[in-house]
Amino acid sequence: MKRPQGFEARPPRRPPLGGPAPSEARPAARVPAPRSPDAGGDRVRTEPIEVVAGAGAKGSRVTRDHQETVPLDDLRRGLAGGASPSDAAQGGPAPSPEPAVDEKSARRALAAAERERRRYEKQEVRRFTKRSRRRRIVWSVVGGALALLVVVVVGGAYSPLMALREVRVEGAARIPPDEIVAAFDGELGTPLPLVTREDVHRALADFRLIETYSTETIPPGTLVVRIVERTPVGVIETARGFELVDGAGVVIDRLESRPDGQPLIETPGGIASDGFRAVAAVVRSLPAEVRPLLVGASAETADDVRLELAGGVPVVWGGSNDSSTKAAVLARLMVVAPPDTVSGYDVSSPESAVTY
């Protein structure tokens, strides 16, 4: 470096005995010089100062190199970045990037890696749960279809389109069907699902000839009532007249005189006795060709049933067991030996039935 005029190169002074070697002299330090009045408020003057330590009488020597002004902001940035003021003034190396810039880049890279990891995990989860997702979709579709079907059926069943508009009667012979239809007038206009068994029983309770019944609904508004009428087994003579009864002893009708075609039943215990139940079982087992000829039946006990045919011809029946077999044997005997040719029949032992 070129020195200013008035300064000559001097040989380095030997250090005193025991003093520091020239290589151990303190390095030159750069310190800011006082502000220059003509430099402005934002510029400073810098100069290198060389401090040489020694034990001489003068103590130290300061060598001025040169003077130069640099902007204050550049000086501050240089000091903050580790550069000397002279490097800032001479356009030296630029300060290193601020840590904030590197931190933002690192955060962006970390976020991108996190997004990529989540995307990969999501793909793996979807791959391993494909079958279960498909099964859930199928069940969801089936459940939705069933729910829709239930809503449609229930909504249609309880809508006015399913209101009762017609009552059809089947199986009624002695009961006028119009009377049964008239008994359901209070249920007309009611949705078919709301017509309960209690409502049907209430409408048919006054018909004594009905033994059993069943119902069927035919959408959109038809109710079919199938009737099984009570089968009378004969009449019982009481103080109030003649009562037409079925096999269970239910009074079908009350009459003033004995009707044709119905046998007179005589049992000591009445309709509540075992003898009446045995007679009723025998009468119901008779075939169609024998039943019109029956004019009377009696039983002291359940094992002593006797019948009477037209013309006063008796039939010894015995117990009500094997009634169907006994009825078939009696029908064949009446063909071989008509009632007007015999005094009576004995079928109490169907294997050895006889006429007398």
Side-chain angles (χ1 to χ4, degrees), residues 329 333 346-355:
V329 171
L333 286 176
D346 188 351
V347 294
S348 58
S349 179
E351 293 83 3
S352 58
V354 295
T355 60

Side-chain angles (χ1 to χ4, degrees), residues 131-218:
R131 181 174 299 178
S132 61
R133 285 186 291 108
R134 184 179 301 171
R135 185 165 51 248
R136 285 196 300 269
I137 291 173
V138 171
W139 280 110
S140 300
V141 172
V142 173
L146 290 178
L148 181 60
L149 180 61
V150 169
V151 171
V152 171
V153 171
V154 172
Y158 291 92
S159 66
L161 297 176
M162 297 289 290
L164 177 62
R165 293 185 292 272
E166 179 187 3
V167 178
R168 188 186 307 168
V169 180
E170 297 179 0
R174 293 190 298 270
I175 306 174
D178 295 340
E179 295 182 5
I180 298 178
V181 172
F184 286 91
D185 288 344
E187 304 299 331
L188 295 178
T190 304
L192 287 179
L194 297 181
V195 179
T196 62
R197 294 183 59 87
E198 289 75 12
D199 298 333
V200 176
H201 179 75
R202 190 184 309 111
L204 301 177
D206 296 335
F207 298 93
R208 294 182 177 180
L209 285 177
I210 298 177
E211 184 175 4
T212 60
Y213 65 87
S214 61
T215 60
E216 179 186 0
T217 57
I218 301 178

Side-chain angles (χ1 to χ4, degrees), residues 78-98:
L79 293 177
S84 62
S86 62
D87 292 339
Q90 297 175 5
S96 61
E98 298 181 359

Side-chain angles (χ1 to χ4, degrees), residues 278 281-282 285-286 317 319-328:
V282 171
S285 67
L286 293 177
W317 194 274
S320 59
N321 55 318
D322 297 333
S323 291
S324 59
T325 304
K326 294 177 181 179

Side-chain angles (χ1 to χ4, degrees), residues 95-329:
S96 61
E98 298 181 359
V101 177
D102 295 339
E103 185 177 355
K104 290 181 180 179
S105 301
R107 288 180 179 178
R108 284 196 297 268
L110 182 61
E114 183 68 20
R115 287 194 299 269
E116 184 65 24
R117 182 185 64 82
R118 291 178 180 176
R119 186 181 302 110
Y120 175 77
E121 291 179 353
K122 186 175 181 181
Q123 291 176 355
E124 290 298 307
V125 170
R126 289 180 61 86
R127 184 167 66 89
F128 282 102
T129 59
K130 182 178 181 179
R131 181 174 299 178
S132 61
R133 285 186 291 108
R134 184 179 301 171
R135 185 165 51 248
R136 285 196 300 269
I137 291 173
V138 171
W139 280 110
S140 300
V141 172
V142 173
L146 290 178
L148 181 60
L149 180 61
V150 169
V151 171
V152 171
V153 171
V154 172
Y158 291 92
S159 66
L161 297 176
M162 297 289 290
L164 177 62
R165 293 185 292 272
E166 179 187 3
V167 178
R168 188 186 307 168
V169 180
E170 297 179 0
R174 293 190 298 270
I175 306 174
D178 295 340
E179 295 182 5
I180 298 178
V181 172
F184 286 91
D185 288 344
E187 304 299 331
L188 295 178
T190 304
L192 287 179
L194 297 181
V195 179
T196 62
R197 294 183 59 87
E198 289 75 12
D199 298 333
V200 176
H201 179 75
R202 190 184 309 111
L204 301 177
D206 296 335
F207 298 93
R208 294 182 177 180
L209 285 177
I210 298 177
E211 184 175 4
T212 60
Y213 65 87
S214 61
T215 60
E216 179 186 0
T217 57
I218 301 178
T222 302
L223 176 65
V224 180
V225 182
R226 294 184 175 89
I227 300 297
V228 177
E229 294 181 343
R230 294 184 181 276
T231 303
V233 295
V235 293
I236 297 176
E237 187 176 4
T238 64
R240 294 172 293 182
F242 294 93
E243 293 181 348
L244 184 66
V245 296
D246 68 347
V250 177
V251 178
I252 299 174
D253 197 5
R254 288 184 173 87
L255 306 172
E256 295 180 359
S257 61
R258 180 179 173 180
D260 296 335
Q262 298 296 336
L264 179 63
I265 300 175
E266 296 177 351
T267 54
I271 59 177
S273 64
D274 294 338
F276 175 82
R277 287 189 288 272
V279 169
V282 171
V283 173
R284 292 173 67 94
S285 67
L286 293 177
E289 61 271 18
V290 179
R291 177 70 171 80
L293 300 177
L294 184 64
V295 295
S298 62
E300 295 290 336
T301 63
D303 297 327
D304 184 24
V305 179
R306 292 177 177 271
L307 304 179
E308 183 182 353
L309 301 179
V313 179
V315 178
V316 179
W317 194 274
S320 59
N321 55 318
D322 297 333
S323 291
S324 59
T325 304
K326 294 177 181 179
V329 171

